[in-house]
Amino acid sequence: MSTLLEPSLEFVFELRVEVDLERRIGHGTSEALGFTPITGGTVVGPRLNGRVLPGGGDWWIARGDVTQLDARYLLEADDGTVIDVVNRGYYVASDDLEQRLAAGEPVTEQELYYRTAPVFQTDAAAHRWLAERQFIGMARPEPGMVCIRVFELR
């Protein structure tokens, strides 16, 4: 009988994604639909450095304490390569936690379930590894931005 592989994670970079004020698109009886514009940011880490290009955004649907995220944006690596990102995930916060965030209090990644699964596309040989692996993100809000620590699933 063979031994099953246990997954592990390798930190590859942190995205510090600058955002503008959210725009409410609609609101039904049990959900809200919105859009948060992405205005820029940075990419810093052991395997990728660069910047987040302005112009993308995060379309989201909130149902109670759970918000489903669908962010689409572009990165530009230090070598000039443009990398497409589709980053889907979930943000789960209680009313108490939302009030703390609104008051400017920091919250930890342990307190806030803010997880993503970014998918990258590029044809650049130097960055092809991004388009050939599965990643997860551990996110947290900071004033004017969302910070996402990105890990390769090994």
Side-chain angles (χ1 to χ4, degrees), residues 6-77:
E6 292 292 325
S8 63
L9 300 174
E10 178 188 343
F11 174 70
V12 291
F13 53 84
E14 180 173 72
L15 299 167
R16 297 183 63 81
V17 181
E18 298 165 2
V19 296
D20 201 351
L21 297 175
E22 66 184 34
R23 272 70 165 178
R24 296 285 176 144
I25 297 170
H27 184 55
T29 57
S30 62
E31 66 184 30
L33 175 63
F35 174 77
T36 303
I38 292 173
T39 60
T42 59
V43 182
V44 177
R47 295 196 46 204
L48 184 68
N49 290 284
R51 66 187 184 120
V52 178
L53 296 175
D58 186 4
W59 287 259
W60 49 267
I61 298 173
R63 295 179 186 98
D65 292 347
V66 179
T67 301
Q68 187 174 0
L69 310 165
D70 185 4
R72 295 165 185 257
Y73 49 100
L74 298 173
L75 308 178
E76 182 180 60

Side-chain angles (χ1 to χ4, degrees), residues 114-129:
Y114 197 173
R115 308 293 187 262
T116 68
V119 174
F120 303 96
Q121 294 296 324
T122 181
D123 63 355
H127 304 290
R128 190 77 196 141
W129 62 276

